[in-house]
Amino acid sequence: LRQGKMASNLDPEVQLIDPSLLECSAKAVALKWLQATDLPKDIYQHLAHYVPKIYCQGPNPAPEREDMLAQQVLLGPMEWYLCGEDPVLGFAKLEQANKPSHLCGRVFKVGEPTYSCRDCAVDPTCVLCMDCFLGSIHREHRYRMTTSGGGGFCDCGDTEAWKEGPCCRKHELNISESEIEDPLVHLSEDMIARAYNIFAIMFKYAVDILTWEKENELPLGLECIEKS
């Protein structure tokens, strides 16, 4: 009776969530994967069990709830596995070892101004954000200013996007190509191996799902299963 009363006091959104999703421990799953003898099989079984519970149950889509559960149940274990430790600590270590990028990559918001150099851009889709444009040689060239519809990104630093002056002053290369350090030197051999493992499996999973044409069955290894 008390449990029933407690359940009735829960947020309606929480009551709709399968309890197994809330009980799933990203750390415990990752530790299992780290000891797995057949990692692809274990990860596929995890996805086969949990993906339908997150995205395929309930009459109405709930993007915020789905994103929260996907982070906890799907992405969380992968982050733990990749880092080999708490990802909060693991990613912080990677950030400390990382050098500033020579690419801007700023994602444009709707209505944000973008600039393209008529003289140097490889094609009209090659654009700069305002900060990079003002710090580049292209401000003295013939240029075109447009308003972003959102979703694109700044191409400053991309040598394949510009015939001349690929970098603004902020992102300018200060070292020669021969001195560019291999970014993998900051990663341990174990992390590199784990990265290859998890990315290869997830790329295969994406291809399997995106290219699957049968409506009444799923690819081998991804059949819906119930865990005991």
Side-chain angles (χ1 to χ4, degrees):
L1 179 62
R2 186 179 179 185
Q3 289 180 341
K5 184 177 180 180
M6 291 176 62
S8 66
N9 291 332
L10 292 174
D11 187 298
E13 286 290 314
V14 175
Q15 293 185 45
L16 293 174
I17 299 175
D18 187 310
S20 68
L21 294 172
L22 299 176
E23 295 167 0
C24 180
S25 166
K27 179 180 179 180
V29 173
L31 290 176
K32 178 183 175 184
W33 290 352
L34 288 168
Q35 300 171 5
T37 56
D38 190 344
L39 184 61
K41 180 180 178 181
D42 278 17
I43 292 181
Y44 263 45
Q45 286 181 346
H46 182 82
L47 296 171
H49 178 72
Y50 287 110
V51 169
K53 290 181 179 291
I54 296 174
Y55 295 106
C56 304
Q57 293 185 356
N60 300 313
E64 291 185 3
R65 185 180 71 215
E66 291 170 355
D67 288 347
M68 179 272 290
L69 291 171
Q71 176 60 46
Q72 175 180 327
V73 179
L74 303 179
L75 300 179
M78 295 180 197
E79 293 174 350
W80 271 90
Y81 173 83
L82 180 63
C83 295
E85 61 180 335
D86 186 336
V88 173
L89 301 176
F91 290 144
K93 292 176 183 177
L94 291 177
E95 185 67 26
Q96 290 176 355
N98 193 30
K99 290 187 175 181
S101 174
H102 298 302
L103 300 173
C104 176
R106 175 186 174 90
V107 178
F108 297 120
K109 298 177 181 178
V110 176
E112 186 174 352
T114 65
Y115 300 82
S116 181
C117 181
R118 296 181 183 274
D119 297 326
C120 302
V122 172
D123 62 62
T125 66
C126 300
V127 295
L128 299 172
C129 66
M130 179 183 290
D131 289 345
C132 290
F133 173 74
L134 294 176
S136 73
I137 65 172
H138 307 295
R139 63 181 298 179
E140 306 296 336
H141 298 173
R142 296 179 302 149
Y143 65 86
R144 175 175 58 92
M145 185 183 78
T146 57
T147 300
S148 174
F153 56 89
C154 177
D155 292 301
C156 183
D158 184 352
T159 56
E160 296 183 358
W162 311 97
K163 300 173 185 175
E164 184 182 357
C167 300
C168 69
R169 287 192 295 269
K170 178 181 177 181
H171 298 105
E172 189 172 12
L173 292 170
N174 295 318
I175 52 179
S176 67
E177 290 295 325
S178 62
E179 295 175 319
I180 292 179
E181 187 178 52
D182 183 352
L184 294 182
V185 300
H186 297 294
L187 303 180
S188 67
E189 292 185 3
D190 286 344
M191 176 171 276
I192 292 173
R194 291 194 299 268
Y196 277 119
N197 288 340
I198 197 71
F199 292 144
I201 293 169
M202 293 313 301
F203 279 133
K204 182 178 185 303
Y205 172 77
V207 171
D208 286 345
I209 291 297
L210 292 174
T211 60
W212 190 253
E213 297 180 349
K214 298 180 181 179
E215 295 183 359
N216 298 321
E217 58 182 278
L218 290 168
L220 183 65
L222 288 174
E223 302 89 348
C224 292
I225 58 174
E226 286 296 330
K227 293 189 177 182
S228 56

